Amino acid sequence: MERTMAEKQRVPAKVPLETIASGLRRERARTGLSLSEVARQAGISKSTLSHLEAGNGNPSLETLWALCVALDVPFARLLDPPRPQTQVIRAGEGAAIAAAESDYRATLLAASPPGARRDVYRIDAEPGTVRASRPHMPGVVEHLLLASGRALAGVSGEEVELGPGDYMAYPADLPHVFEALSPSTRAVLVLEHP
């Protein structure tokens, strides 16, 4: 299905930096870890974390994932402001975080409510670069349903090619990848937390 020019030009909304900053401050306070210790565990500089907590900078998906692992929190906890009970997120809308080294965007659709242990994302990716993910927290499983295009996904070294309608689940506490093999590759990704 060919996308219209308006759809191609529509830029996904970015997560407000204050939402990320507030989430980082809240979760770091919860853990009782210092700025230096969280930065060290995430593999980023203390000044980068300080800037992010102040609401400055442009964090990549990789940086935020590393911080979530260091803080032992689901990724969505940094991005999910309070929402109404009925929610509609139209295609091409929503708060998206882009990867730094590949044409890959994750848009949070639903974060785990209290008592639930899953987050739901829409993935938009284009061919060209592999999205290589470091291991998430122990026990995390990713469920992937490909909606359009073709992709290579799964645990690094054990990737599987998927087509529209294909589903797979794999342990995300191991290095894993997602690579779009055709233009306009779209998927639904559910992170299941232990």
Side-chain angles (χ1 to χ4, degrees):
M1 182 173 169
E2 186 67 23
R3 293 169 59 197
T4 67
M5 185 57 92
E7 290 173 321
K8 289 178 182 176
Q9 292 176 345
R10 187 182 305 165
V11 176
K14 287 194 169 202
V15 175
L17 288 176
E18 186 48 45
T19 300
I20 294 170
S22 173
L24 286 170
R25 290 188 304 267
R26 178 188 66 242
E27 295 305 322
R28 190 169 63 78
R30 178 190 57 78
T31 65
L33 296 173
S34 69
L35 200 68
S36 297
E37 182 58 20
V38 172
R40 184 191 67 74
Q41 288 184 25
I44 65 171
S45 71
K46 180 179 172 182
S47 64
T48 296
L49 179 54
S50 178
H51 278 79
L52 292 176
E53 284 194 5
N56 300 315
N58 185 21
S60 69
L61 183 66
E62 293 84 357
T63 297
L64 292 177
W65 275 113
L67 287 165
C68 288
V69 170
L71 294 166
D72 193 28
V73 297
F75 183 74
R77 195 167 300 166
L78 294 183
L79 311 179
D80 195 39
R83 297 176 187 233
Q85 286 188 342
T86 300
Q87 174 186 355
V88 175
I89 299 175
R90 303 271 182 216
E93 296 179 348
I97 298 289
E101 299 179 9
S102 60
D103 192 351
Y104 177 99
R105 288 169 309 288
T107 303
L108 177 65
L109 301 176
S112 293
R117 310 284 292 163
R118 59 88 190 119
D119 302 317
V120 181
Y121 297 87
R122 179 182 61 232
I123 302 300
D124 301 288
E126 297 296 330
T129 311
V130 175
R131 164 76 179 119
S133 297
R134 295 187 338 202
H136 302 317
M137 294 170 289
V140 172
V141 174
E142 289 190 358
H143 300 265
L144 184 66
L145 176 64
L146 203 69
S148 65
R150 288 182 22 252
L152 197 61
V155 173
S156 297
E158 301 174 13
E159 300 91 348
V160 175
E161 185 172 332
L162 303 172
D166 289 347
Y167 161 85
M168 76 179 300
Y170 49 90
D173 55 2
L174 299 171
H176 52 284
V177 299
F178 184 95
E179 179 182 6
L181 300 176
S182 62
S184 300
T185 296
R186 306 292 177 262
V188 174
L189 177 68
V190 177
L191 266 71
E192 178 185 341
H193 307 279

